[in-house]
């Protein structure tokens, strides 16, 4: 028995055009089958690429589209692909990062469970573009439904000749492996993911060398997110100009936003980049406003690692640059909303507890710092905070930020820094009065 | 030998997929875990023998990844997600409700060995909070009514 996620898309806009392409068919359970997928134009892009295009042409198209990574960092995808050395005699690998684990983020799972061939087709095109003959999808071990669906889809793709030896008579060989993780958030970081894929502990690697030059088994490797790769077949099909006609100049295309927390209609929504955050939360077609019509207190705009926004900051475009301009980040597009009955110290405690648990332990500032932060924040939340604790938190944060190999340290710190900055009075009240300004006590229905 | 012939065959199939044998460690651990329900040194040794890697390499990986429970547990492992999106929707009260319903504290196992209850970090089901995972399945948008039904069904199944 599985209760499926309510995938909500704006049906009227979808019906009008192909602009919203990632979620166009996810509400149809038949979309998982390869026949349905093909009947809707699926694998046409892969066929075109493998039978009539050169790798450089594929990279140029994706570069031209301006597609940026949807996993959090927002790095230009085509440019990343072009970093793979052309003259390397080593095998190259394409890895799809499906280790979705950041609190608030639940979008890749929808693609894998509802439209797995979109991801496989994107992976195949990316593999071809970098000259790879073996590609991996690293799926977090908890996503059993995703694993089952992707494995079934992969078998279908082999059976139809989209994968395997001599793909569609093109002479190109391409194999795929579904690799399952062990429930470590750090493995979403690309170098830790590669270590994990090699059978090691998921510890981050020092860069350079970057994976594009020296990645899996010390060979050139490209790691891309599920959502990023799923957009690629549409770019090949409709062209770079079509993709650029969506979104903003520097953040083109559409993006899936996972909306969770205190909204009336939580769900995954595909919208063009540049969509208004306030509209996403309040519009009846999307979030539908706050639960119980309570007052909004705060928003985490891009997943647990991004700086928080106060209600006066949410009239902002959801794109990489606009969120940066208000001191936050687009991240993975996970919008977490909480209302007035939520204690900010409690929110931050939940977040730091996550990062402390998930720190791989390689870098001292992150390993010890996150533990120290959790301890201090837990004390404050319990009413055992002391004057000077806020300054101590700020000091620890400053000693983690930018001092670790991978961004997990920064991710742990940035929400805390923003929460201390925006809600300092509430932290002070907590320490002074030994209790929450608003007591958090959420009951489930 | 704890691993069944089927598990060994599955592990060998995995080994063949990778350019380097060591890559099969995590998939092999997963296969063993699904068979037994928890991990221990004996299993690490058996896995190491099948993949042909040193014992310590399997143990090292197994202990790093928190998905795998390392001590015997009940037949149904209930994992309640307690991070922010679920917590905002009442996952702490969900855990409390399950503790009461099953008569155990978090981390405990029922006397009939049917249920073990733990809390875990984000399970990627944020827009369908609160949620829990029982063995390999997700249960989302939980209400008291749904939880009652799920537990009843699992109890009936044994």
């Amino acid at each position: 028995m599985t209760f499926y996620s309510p995938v909500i898309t704006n049906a009227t806009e979808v019906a009008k055009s192909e602009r919203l392409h990632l979620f166009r068919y996810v509400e149809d359970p038949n979309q998982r089958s390869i026949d349905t997928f093909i009947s809707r134009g699926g694998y046409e892009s892969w066929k075109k690429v493998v039978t009539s295009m050169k790798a450089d042409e594929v990279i140029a198209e994706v570069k031209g589209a301006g597609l940026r990574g949807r996993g959090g960092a927002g790095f230009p995808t085509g440019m990343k692909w072009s970093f793979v050395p052309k003259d390397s005699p080593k095998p190259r690998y394409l890895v799809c990062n499906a280790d979705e684990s950041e609190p608030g983020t639940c979008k890749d799972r929808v693609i894998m469970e509802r439209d797995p061939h979109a991801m496989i087709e994107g992976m195949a095109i990316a593999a071809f573009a970098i000259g790879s003959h073996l590609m991996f999808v690293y799926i977090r071990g908890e996503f059993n439904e995703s694993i089952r669906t992707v494995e079934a889809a992969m078998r279908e793709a082999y059976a139809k000749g989209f994968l395997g030896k001599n793909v569609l008579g093109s002479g190109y060989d391409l194999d795929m492996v579904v690799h399952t993780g062990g429930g470590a958030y750090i493995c979403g970081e690309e170098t830790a993911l590669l270590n994990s894929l090699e059978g090691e502990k998921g510890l981050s690697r020092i860069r350079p060398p970057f994976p594009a030059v020296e990645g899996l088994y010390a060979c050139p490797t490209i790691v891309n997110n599920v959502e990023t790769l799923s957009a690629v077949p549409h770019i090949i099909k409709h062209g770079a100009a079509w993709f650029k006609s969506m979104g903003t100049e520097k953040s083109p295309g559409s993006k899936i936003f996972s909306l969770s927390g205190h909204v009336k209609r939580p769900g995954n929504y595909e919208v063009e980049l540049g969509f208004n955050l306030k509209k996403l939360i309040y519009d009846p077609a999307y979030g539908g406003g706050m639960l119980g019509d309570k007052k909004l207190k705060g928003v985490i705009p891009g997943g647990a690692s991004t700086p928080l926004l106060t209600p006066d900051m949410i009239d902002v475009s959801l794109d990489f640059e606009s969120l940066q301009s208000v001191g936050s980040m687009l991240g993975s597009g996970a919008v977490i909303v909480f209302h007035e009955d939520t204690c900010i110290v409690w929110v931050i405690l939940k977040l730091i507890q996550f990062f402390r648990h998930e720190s791989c332990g390689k870098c001292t500032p992150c390993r010890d710092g996150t533990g120290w932060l959790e301890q201090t924040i837990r004390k404050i939340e319990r009413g055992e905070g002391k004057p000077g604790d806020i300054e101590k938190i700020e000091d620890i944060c400053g000693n983690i930020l930018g001092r670790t190999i991978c961004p997990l340290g920064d991710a742990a710190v940035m929400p805390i820094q923003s929460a201390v900055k925006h809600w300092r009075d509430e932290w002070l009240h907590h320490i002074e009065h030994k209790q929450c300004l608003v007591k958090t006590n959420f009951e489930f229905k | 030998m704890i691993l069944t012939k089927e598990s060994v065959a599955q592990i060998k199939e995995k080994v063949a997929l990778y350019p380097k044998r060591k890559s099969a460690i995590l998939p092999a651990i997963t296969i063993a875990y699904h068979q037994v329900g928890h991990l221990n040194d004996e299993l690490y040794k058996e896995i190491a023998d099948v993949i042909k890697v040193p014992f310590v390499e399997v143990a090292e990986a197994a202990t790093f990844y928190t998905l795998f429970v390392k001590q015997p547990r009940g037949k149904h492992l209930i994992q309640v997600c307690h991070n922010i999106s679920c917590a905002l929707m009442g996952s702490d009260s969900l855990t409390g409700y399950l503790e009461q319903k099953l008569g155990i504290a978090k981390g405990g196992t029922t006397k009939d060995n049917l249920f073990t209850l733990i809390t875990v970090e984000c399970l990627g089901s944020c827009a369908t909070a609160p949620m829990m995972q029982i063995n390999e399945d997700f249960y989302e948008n939980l209400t008291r009514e749904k939880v009652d039904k799920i537990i009843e069904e699992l109890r009936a199944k044994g």
Side-chain angles (χ1 to χ4, degrees):
Chain A
M1 181 169 36
T2 303
F3 297 110
Y4 283 109
S5 17
V7 180
I8 307 156
T9 53
N10 190 332
T12 45
E13 276 188 53
V14 170
K16 269 190 252 165
S17 70
E18 290 200 353
R19 291 177 80 79
L20 300 185
H21 46 286
L22 295 166
F23 269 6
R24 194 160 186 223
Y25 300 116
V26 291
E27 281 169 338
D28 178 359
N30 295 321
Q31 180 67 7
R32 267 179 286 186
S33 107
I34 199 164
D35 291 329
T36 308
F37 183 75
I38 291 169
S39 74
R40 288 170 170 159
Y43 286 116
E44 271 172 23
S45 296
W46 174 223
K47 196 175 172 181
K48 180 178 162 187
V49 164
V50 78
T51 58
S52 69
M53 287 177 81
K54 289 198 175 74
D56 284 349
E57 293 169 350
V58 179
I59 295 178
E61 197 70 37
V62 173
K63 250 188 188 172
L67 173 65
R68 296 173 65 171
R70 305 301 198 224
F75 193 81
T77 306
M79 197 190 289
K80 197 177 194 179
W81 294 359
S82 68
F83 291 157
V84 171
K86 301 245 178 299
D87 50 357
S88 171
K90 293 177 180 176
R92 295 110 195 263
Y93 300 108
L94 185 274
V95 180
C96 176
N97 183 347
D99 194 56
E100 177 163 79
S101 315
E102 180 150 311
T105 316
C106 51
K107 63 188 175 67
D108 293 341
R109 209 182 115 214
V110 181
I111 295 175
M112 288 190 282
E113 291 178 16
R114 307 297 187 86
D115 200 1
H117 288 288
M119 178 189 82
I120 295 174
E121 186 178 8
M123 286 172 68
I125 295 169
F128 178 89
I130 61 161
S132 167
H133 298 284
L134 180 57
M135 58 187 194
F136 300 87
V137 52
Y138 186 105
I139 309 179
R140 69 178 291 189
E142 291 91 335
F143 281 1
N144 291 291
E145 180 69 16
S146 299
I147 295 161
R148 289 188 285 255
T149 314
V150 170
E151 279 182 340
M154 179 182 76
R155 283 193 293 270
E156 286 182 320
Y158 266 107
K160 295 264 184 195
F162 294 121
L163 295 174
K165 291 253 172 277
N166 189 19
V167 171
L168 302 167
S170 63
Y172 198 80
D173 298 341
L174 182 59
D175 282 303
M176 173 173 169
V177 174
V178 177
H179 185 94
T180 56
Y185 167 68
I186 185 65
C187 294
E189 191 280 320
E190 63 179 5
T191 61
L193 185 152
L194 295 174
N195 271 337
S196 180
L197 194 43
E198 289 182 11
E200 304 276 348
K201 292 193 272 192
L203 306 181
S204 306
R205 297 177 182 174
I206 293 169
R207 285 168 291 191
F210 287 91
V213 179
E214 213 171 285
L216 189 63
Y217 313 123
C219 296
T221 305
I222 291 294
V223 184
N224 286 139
N225 179 261
V226 174
E227 187 186 351
T228 315
L229 290 167
S230 301
V232 169
H234 300 279
I235 291 169
I236 299 297
K237 189 173 178 186
H238 302 292
W242 165 83
F243 195 77
K244 283 206 95 160
S245 75
M246 285 181 287
T248 68
E249 197 195 332
K250 287 183 178 163
S251 302
S254 72
K255 166 99 192 75
I256 303 165
F257 288 91
S258 307
L259 183 59
S260 68
H262 295 152
V263 287
K264 288 179 182 158
R265 285 160 44 92
N268 284 290
Y269 297 92
E270 183 187 4
V271 293
E272 290 187 32
L273 281 164
F275 196 83
N276 185 276
L277 173 58
K278 198 171 181 178
K279 188 173 171 175
L280 184 76
I281 296 168
Y282 284 100
D283 192 300
Y286 301 93
M290 304 302 293
L291 269 182
D293 295 316
K294 299 239 178 209
K295 256 169 74 183
L296 173 70
K297 178 161 180 172
V299 178
I300 311 176
S305 63
T306 56
L308 279 63
L309 304 176
T310 52
D312 58 321
M313 296 162 90
I314 65 160
D315 194 4
V316 64
S317 294
L318 289 164
D319 59 71
F320 294 99
E321 288 70 32
S322 301
L323 280 161
Q324 216 168 357
S325 73
V326 294
S328 191
M329 291 156 79
L330 184 77
S332 57
V335 180
I336 307 165
V337 177
F338 50 94
H339 63 45
E340 54 190 327
D341 297 346
T342 319
C343 167
I344 197 70
V345 180
W346 177 86
V347 169
I348 294 302
L349 179 60
K350 288 282 174 194
L351 299 181
I352 190 61
Q353 152 203 312
F354 174 81
F355 290 109
R356 193 268 309 148
H357 185 267
E358 300 299 330
S359 171
C360 79
K362 185 166 181 170
C363 312
T364 313
C366 176
R367 182 186 64 237
D368 290 358
T370 53
W372 200 2
L373 283 169
E374 187 192 354
Q375 208 177 47
T376 312
I377 295 166
R378 194 176 290 283
K379 272 189 189 162
I380 298 175
E381 216 271 334
R382 273 193 197 143
E384 297 162 11
K386 294 187 191 81
D389 275 353
I390 297 178
E391 290 73 18
K392 186 164 95 183
I393 289 169
E394 286 172 323
D395 185 45
I396 303 168
C397 286
N399 279 295
I400 298 177
L401 195 73
R403 292 169 199 261
T404 54
I405 292 170
C406 90
L408 192 139
D410 297 351
V413 160
M414 289 188 295
I416 303 176
Q417 287 179 323
S418 67
V420 170
K421 185 177 159 202
H422 299 319
W423 288 275
R424 201 176 187 94
D425 289 351
E426 197 173 326
W427 287 82
L428 285 167
H429 180 278
H430 229 298
I431 292 168
E432 200 178 316
H433 298 274
K434 311 281 179 202
Q435 60 182 347
C436 307
L437 190 61
V438 271
K439 186 70 193 161
T440 307
N441 187 20
F442 298 125
E443 292 285 325
F444 83 119
K445 275 190 251 166
Chain B
M1 187 88 181
I2 305 169
L3 288 174
T4 59
K5 270 186 190 164
E6 292 75 31
S7 295
V8 171
Q10 281 176 26
I11 292 171
K12 283 182 176 165
E13 267 177 42
K14 292 284 180 192
V15 174
L17 295 175
Y18 297 92
K20 295 201 174 165
R21 310 183 66 85
K22 211 180 155 180
S23 281
I25 289 179
L26 207 42
I29 290 171
T30 308
I31 291 164
Y33 182 71
H34 282 172
Q35 185 205 307
V36 182
H38 67 273
L39 299 176
N40 55 37
D41 281 1
E42 220 176 321
L43 272 171
Y44 303 156
K45 177 153 193 337
E46 289 187 16
I47 292 166
D49 288 346
V50 178
I51 308 180
K52 295 186 184 119
V53 292
F55 164 86
V56 67
E57 293 189 350
V58 178
E60 198 175 54
T63 48
F64 180 81
Y65 297 97
T66 52
L67 176 65
F68 313 109
V69 175
K70 314 297 189 302
Q71 54 287 118
R73 41 91 164 174
K75 187 176 174 192
H76 303 293
L77 178 67
I78 304 178
Q79 307 183 76
V80 179
C81 172
H82 72 162
N83 212 272
I84 188 68
S85 298
C86 281
L88 288 168
M89 300 308 285
S91 65
D92 292 344
S93 99
L94 165 64
T95 307
Y97 185 68
L98 281 161
E99 284 180 325
Q100 205 184 9
K101 201 171 169 57
L102 300 171
I104 49 173
K106 195 172 88 176
T109 300
T110 53
K111 276 190 190 134
D112 58 6
N113 215 25
L114 210 50
F115 299 102
T116 297
L117 175 69
I118 58 171
T119 51
V120 291
E121 296 303 334
C122 187
L123 284 171
S125 182
C126 317
T128 41
M131 66 81 66
M132 61 184 173
Q133 181 174 11
I134 304 182
N135 299 339
E136 294 186 30
D137 293 315
F138 275 22
Y139 297 86
E140 302 169 300
N141 288 313
L142 292 173
T143 59
R144 279 159 210 269
E145 207 182 321
K146 270 190 195 174
V147 170
D148 290 346
K149 206 172 150 230
I150 292 161
I151 299 297
E152 262 168 49
E153 277 178 19
L154 290 175
R155 267 198 185 128
K157 237 168 65 181

